Structures are given as C-alpha cells and as structure tokens.
Amino acid sequence: MDALHMQMNILPLHVRDQIRDRWLQLRLDTILPVIMAKHQLDMWVLIAREYHEDPIMETLFPAAIDSSRRLTIIVFVLNQDKTVERLVIHTNPSFEPFYQRVWEPAEEDQWKCLARIVADKKPQSIGVNVSDDYSFCDGLSHSFYTKLLHTLGEEHAALVRSAEQVALDWLQLRSDEELMAYPTIAEITRKLAQEALSNQVIHPGITTTMDVVRWIRQRVIDLGIQTSFYPTVDVIRKGCGKLDDMVIVPGDVIHLDFGIHYLGLATDTQQLAYVLHMDEHEVPKGLQDAMQTANRLEDIMCENFREKQTGNELFAACIQQAQDEGIRAMIYSHPIGTHCHAAGPLIGLYDRQEAIPVRGELVIQNKTCYAMEFNIHQYIPEWDEEIPIYLEESVVFKDDQIHYLAKRQTDFYIIR
C-alpha cells in the first residue's frame, strides 16, 4: 500500500471485498428475516439482466459477482420459524455460500425453475420491485414483470405485490458492523474536504473554484475510491452573493459540497473556509457568530430526532424551534447509506420547505443514517449584509440519539 492510501486509511481492494462479503452475510442473516417478517412478505423475487441492473440486486451481489450475467433471479422465502431461505436461479458458483443454487439447466430454463419454486413454497404473498414513488424499489423492468406474471399463472400472479417497504428497509437499516465502520468513512471524507480547503490546494488570486473541484475528483480517483456525486465549490463574496467558477480571492467564504462512496456506503458533507485578507489574522466575528448559529441549528435538529416520527414531523418541529429562537433556517436533510440521496424519510427539500408527500411520511428508524443538510441566513456586520451559511454533516440515529459520524465543523478552515 502506498503512502497516499496509508495516509487516508484506504484498504487494499481484496480486503475491501472481504469486508463487504462479511457485511453482506451479516445483513442477510440478521436484517433480511426481520424486515420480511415485519412487512409480512412470504416471498421476495428479484429479477435483473446484465447491463440493466436492479438497484436492490446490486446490493445483494457478493464481491465476485459484478453483474447479472444475462439473467439472474434471486428468491427469498420467509419460513414459518422466521428464517429466510436464499435461493438463486443461476449457475455461477460465486453466489455460494450466500445463496443456494437451485437451477437445473439441463431440465428447465430459469423461468420454469422460478415457477417450480413458487409452486413448491406456496407463498401467500410475492413481492417484486415495482413502485410508483421510490426509484430504488422500481428495478423490475416492464418486460420482466409481464414475463413473471405469465410464468406464475393466474393463481400465483394474483399474489404479486410491491416489495417497496421491504426494499426500503433493506437499504436504510445498517448492521452494527457497518455502523462501527461508518465513522472511518466519514473521517476520510472530512480529511479530504479539509485538504481541499487549504493552502495546499488553494492559492488566493490564482486558484479557481473549478480548480478545487478538479483537484478533489482526481484525489479521490487516485485513492482508488469514488465520489458519491459530482462535487461543487463556490464562494460567497461581500457584495456579490454566491458565485460559481470564479478565481478565489481574499475575503471569500469558500463552500464545498462533497462526499465519497467507499465500502458500499456513501457520505455527504458541506464544509466552509475563509480566505484571510493580508491584514487579517482571524475570521471576522460576524462570520464566526453565523457559524455558531448554524451549529445551534444542528443542536436543534439533534434534540428533535425521535424514533417513529415522520420526516415531515421532524422538519416541522425543527423549523418551528428555529423560528422561536430567531434563526432564519432552511432544512433539506436526507438519508445516506447505500446511496448518497438514499432510501428513507426526507426531512424537507431545498425547493420545498414544507411537508413532503410520501417520502416525507416515512418514519425515522433506529440504526439509520442521514446527511443533516441545511442553511441559515444571518446579518454580517463587517459586510453590512445578510449571507447564507451552508453546512451538512453525516450522522447516525441510534438508540434514540444522533451521533456525528465525524467531528462536526465549528470553525471556518483558514486560508492565507
């Protein structure tokens, strides 16, 4: 492992594969039976083809499986003792020991194999990945849906329903091992953000915001990992508001929105830096006060998180308390996990500061993770104007408490 990877604690690929396989086995053993029983789903059928993958199917592949290879069908069967049989209709031996291979190619095609399994198991409900509201849960193509109904026949086709509730829980609930590792992933993100917002990368009067974007994208690629979305960098400048694609100059507040995808988990954070003027030795007090206000809003959000409340209820409670405390706030937080904008309850939207239908009505659950994303507007006396302060921190909700996955930002990074 070279010095760059060691500095950021990036593991070799074979070790990452071992960890992700261990996590997959743990999730299949502990999370899957619970959520199928919770939502009373007797059978969950996932069908995907090569180059047209179901987003749920990809979370079920062991490291040695990188695609559906023509056609892959996975069938989960909930037994009366609440255990789950895990069957795969494919010939690739790398599916074992995670799944039992049940297809006999010399005697049947994959669809006939599926029909045989359904007839043998006699489920009362068959879940498939179709959904009007959640992209994660809508991975079954129309052609495969019609093929499935035809294969099952009229009697069993009548049992088919959306598996979206099971799929949502599969994506958003984290195992204990994943939660132990998530802070390390968040800390790598924080180190990269701090490095990007430093004099190692930024030279006032020379470096542009796009230069910083290009640097951080290359840095992540060099580490052998991925960004969880295309990063953005902009500046807030006295008298000019928010500016994109600009040369960074003294007096600028630099705003970075960035995350990584590593070990199958995504992060999402927004961090701030200030560029000192030649005669300055610290960040103007007005900006420091605005940072403290932003941190207070984070405290408000942490105080209001409750298990089983909806995202809309949490949003309303936080906005109301912020207003009561004289904070001009916008809240648009979202789950993180397998994806950056992940499955689970929305807590406001940037362009909709109100109750969000459907996705905002999902409830907060134990062992779920979020990007606590927001902004506040505050008057800066030194600038004689009101400006926005954007922050975002990755957090986990566990045992009725919010925990930051990495140390939250309480002071501006300083660039000289």
Side-chain angles (χ1 to χ4, degrees):
M1 186 185 300
D2 61 31
L4 178 62
H5 288 72
M6 292 179 64
Q7 179 187 357
M8 289 294 174
N9 296 319
I10 302 298
L11 298 170
L13 183 58
H14 75 279
V15 178
R16 296 186 226 173
D17 288 346
Q18 292 169 358
I19 291 170
R20 294 192 63 180
D21 279 351
R22 187 173 73 241
W23 289 355
L24 175 60
Q25 187 70 59
L26 179 63
R27 290 175 59 81
L28 291 170
D29 289 342
T30 61
I31 294 177
L32 184 63
V34 171
I35 61 179
M36 287 188 68
K38 171 185 172 183
H39 297 291
Q40 299 180 324
L41 186 63
D42 292 339
M43 179 177 286
W44 187 13
V45 178
L46 299 96
I47 308 170
R49 61 169 56 136
E50 193 172 7
Y51 306 124
H52 189 63
E53 302 292 353
D54 181 321
I56 303 290
M57 183 76 86
E58 293 180 298
T59 70
L60 298 169
F61 288 156
I65 304 289
D66 58 6
S67 79
S68 290
R69 294 292 175 92
R70 297 189 179 91
L71 171 66
T72 295
I73 303 175
I74 292 177
V75 182
F76 296 119
V77 183
L78 181 65
N79 298 316
Q80 289 188 347
D81 64 359
K82 306 304 181 185
T83 60
V84 172
E85 290 182 69
R86 308 190 299 257
L87 313 176
V88 63
I89 303 176
H90 205 281
T91 57
N92 193 331
S94 295
F95 276 108
E96 296 175 343
F98 307 94
Y99 309 95
Q100 177 188 353
R101 290 182 292 153
V102 292
W103 179 30
E104 299 293 342
E107 301 175 8
E108 61 192 356
D109 65 19
Q110 288 165 282
W111 295 99
K112 288 182 180 179
C113 179
L114 175 60
R116 172 171 59 81
I117 291 169
V118 173
D120 178 56
K121 300 300 180 181
K122 298 180 175 56
Q124 297 301 302
S125 58
I126 302 172
V128 297
N129 291 347
V130 295
S131 174
D132 291 332
D133 300 307
Y134 306 103
S135 59
F136 317 103
C137 312
D138 196 34
L140 182 62
S141 69
H142 176 73
S143 61
F144 277 176
Y145 180 72
T146 56
K147 177 76 170 177
L148 173 67
L149 296 184
H150 176 74
T151 297
L152 294 179
E154 185 175 342
E155 177 186 358
H156 290 120
L159 305 176
V160 172
R161 63 179 175 89
S162 172
E164 66 180 17
Q165 294 303 316
V166 172
L168 287 171
D169 277 357
W170 171 255
L171 289 175
Q172 69 175 316
L173 296 176
R174 305 264 66 86
S175 68
D176 288 334
E177 283 202 15
E178 289 173 305
L179 291 180
M180 284 188 284
Y182 224 147
T184 297
I185 302 170
E187 187 58 34
I188 292 169
T189 310
R190 176 58 50 83
K191 286 179 180 179
L192 287 166
Q194 189 169 357
E195 188 176 5
L197 297 176
S198 74
N199 283 108
Q200 291 177 255
V201 176
I202 297 172
H203 305 281
I206 298 173
T207 307
T208 68
T209 53
M210 279 306 301
D211 289 336
V212 182
V213 170
R214 295 184 186 107
W215 180 89
I216 202 165
R217 291 186 70 235
Q218 187 64 55
R219 178 72 155 160
V220 169
I221 289 294
D222 290 345
L223 286 168
I225 57 179
Q226 296 175 305
T227 55
S228 55
F229 58 95
Y230 199 100
T232 60
V233 177
D234 50 66
V235 298
I236 301 168
R237 185 173 296 169
K238 180 179 178 181
C240 299
K242 189 176 177 182
L243 303 171
D244 300 307
D245 198 14
M246 299 293 294
V247 173
I248 296 168
V249 300
D252 282 346
V253 171
I254 310 173
H255 165 240
L256 166 66
D257 191 356
F258 162 66
I260 66 170
H261 205 268
Y262 177 54
L263 293 175
L265 297 173
T267 61
D268 192 0
T269 188
Q270 294 180 47
Q271 301 281 281
L272 298 171
Y274 177 74
V275 186
L276 295 174
H277 289 283
M278 289 186 66
D279 58 351
E280 282 184 315
H281 301 287
E282 61 183 12
V283 177
K285 184 177 184 304
L287 290 176
Q288 295 181 44
D289 291 344
M291 177 69 79
Q292 290 181 6
T293 301
N295 290 153
R296 176 56 196 152
L297 182 60
E298 290 173 340
D299 294 339
I300 289 171
M301 295 181 71
C302 292
E303 292 164 6
N304 281 280
F305 256 86
R306 299 285 186 278
E307 190 170 357
K308 297 183 180 179
Q309 72 177 154
T310 67
N312 288 335
E313 289 169 341
L314 175 56
F315 170 81
C318 293
I319 287 293
Q320 185 60 59
Q321 186 171 342
Q323 290 176 350
D324 293 344
E325 295 188 19
I327 300 173
R328 291 192 55 200
M330 291 176 64
I331 296 173
Y332 34 96
S333 301
H334 58 85
I336 55 172
T338 304
H339 305 94
C340 180
H341 290 176
L346 288 179
I347 308 163
L349 285 170
Y350 184 84
D351 56 348
R352 295 182 65 183
Q353 290 292 285
E354 60 190 19
I356 308 301
V358 186
R359 283 200 65 185
E361 294 163 6
L362 296 175
V363 299
I364 306 293
Q365 297 192 63
N366 190 36
K367 297 184 181 180
T368 52
C369 300
Y370 302 87
M372 202 159 64
E373 182 177 11
F374 64 91
N375 71 62
I376 61 102
H377 281 69
Q378 186 156 311
Y379 177 74
I380 309 300
E382 294 88 344
W383 290 19
D384 191 26
E385 64 180 284
E386 184 179 274
I387 69 166
I389 296 292
Y390 300 90
L391 282 179
E392 184 174 18
E393 299 287 358
S394 297
V395 300
V396 58
F397 179 71
K398 182 180 179 183
D399 300 331
D400 294 319
Q401 285 189 315
I402 282 289
H403 305 272
Y404 289 92
L405 291 174
K407 184 180 179 182
R408 68 171 174 170
Q409 184 173 23
T410 56
D411 297 292
F412 287 86
Y413 303 128
I414 293 177
I415 296 170
R416 291 176 169 81

